[in-house]
Amino acid sequence: MDRIKWEEYFMAQSHLLALRSTCERLSVGATIVKDNRIIAGGYNGSVSGEVHCIDEGCLLEDDHCIRTIHAEMNALLQCAKQGVSTDGATIYVTHFPCLNCTKSIIQSGIDTIYYAEDYHNHTYALELLKQAGIEYKKISFDQEHVAQYLLNK
């Protein structure tokens, strides 16, 4: 049997991370990769030590949960905390990044975004990515196909 492709492998990691999400509205995972090595991962959830949305519900303001840190930000902050450079890295995200995460990704030096699902793809985010010369691409992710690698071992 063939080995799993890199894109499938890293996107599968993002989907696994999304399983840790504590958001009731949407589970998102993000994996930051450099030189085909995972340097960080994140999922959307509460600030460390804070209650979780799955326990007490979302804390909504203007129809947005203000308790939740997005998966992309958690992954970027993990790199910052550990002193790991994201310059020239790639991020794999289960869903297209929101506008604020897009701006943070641009500022971090990440040069490629792969995502599995569209999610309110903000037109200004798309414009910023184009201006910054950042490649972004929707890639298909088939959980059953990836599961076959596990079942056939």
Side-chain angles (χ1 to χ4, degrees), residues 88-103:
T90 298
I91 190 167
Y92 291 80
V93 191
T94 57
H95 296 77
F96 188 84
C98 74
L99 177 58
N100 285 325
C101 286
T102 297
K103 292 189 283 186

Side-chain angles (χ1 to χ4, degrees), residues 74-148:
N74 266 329
L76 288 169
L77 292 169
Q78 182 182 353
C79 288
K81 192 173 184 178
Q82 301 298 322
V84 177
S85 172
T86 55
D87 198 39
T90 298
I91 190 167
Y92 291 80
V93 191
T94 57
H95 296 77
F96 188 84
C98 74
L99 177 58
N100 285 325
C101 286
T102 297
K103 292 189 283 186
S104 296
I105 289 167
I106 292 168
Q107 288 299 101
S108 75
I110 287 175
D111 60 17
T112 307
I113 301 169
Y114 292 117
Y115 65 99
E117 300 291 333
D118 290 308
Y119 185 74
H120 303 298
N121 300 24
H122 199 286
T123 53
Y124 185 54
L126 295 169
E127 183 181 322
L128 288 173
L129 291 171
K130 184 178 178 182
Q131 286 175 4
I134 294 178
E135 178 187 354
Y136 61 94
K137 181 180 176 187
K138 182 178 181 178
I139 59 174
S140 63
F141 180 73
D142 183 348
Q143 294 179 17
E144 290 179 16
H145 175 74
V146 172
Q148 289 305 309

Side-chain angles (χ1 to χ4, degrees), residues 5-117:
K5 294 182 176 97
W6 284 117
E7 285 182 2
E8 291 176 311
Y9 173 73
F10 296 128
M11 191 58 77
Q13 177 69 29
S14 294
H15 279 81
L16 283 172
L17 284 161
L19 295 175
R20 292 284 305 154
S21 171
T22 61
C23 180
E24 293 181 316
R25 299 168 52 147
L26 183 68
S27 296
V28 179
T31 304
I32 301 176
V33 175
K34 197 168 187 178
D35 300 322
N36 281 341
R37 301 289 182 260
I38 296 171
I39 60 172
Y43 54 87
N44 56 328
S46 301
V47 173
S48 297
E50 173 64 300
V51 298
H52 298 288
C53 297
I54 57 173
D55 297 327
E56 293 194 10
C58 292
L59 185 57
L60 295 178
E61 194 172 278
D62 296 326
D63 203 34
H64 289 91
C65 182
I66 60 172
R67 178 179 285 135
T68 301
I69 298 175
H70 292 188
E72 303 92 328
M73 288 303 300
N74 266 329
L76 288 169
L77 292 169
Q78 182 182 353
C79 288
K81 192 173 184 178
Q82 301 298 322
V84 177
S85 172
T86 55
D87 198 39
T90 298
I91 190 167
Y92 291 80
V93 191
T94 57
H95 296 77
F96 188 84
C98 74
L99 177 58
N100 285 325
C101 286
T102 297
K103 292 189 283 186
S104 296
I105 289 167
I106 292 168
Q107 288 299 101
S108 75
I110 287 175
D111 60 17
T112 307
I113 301 169
Y114 292 117
Y115 65 99
E117 300 291 333

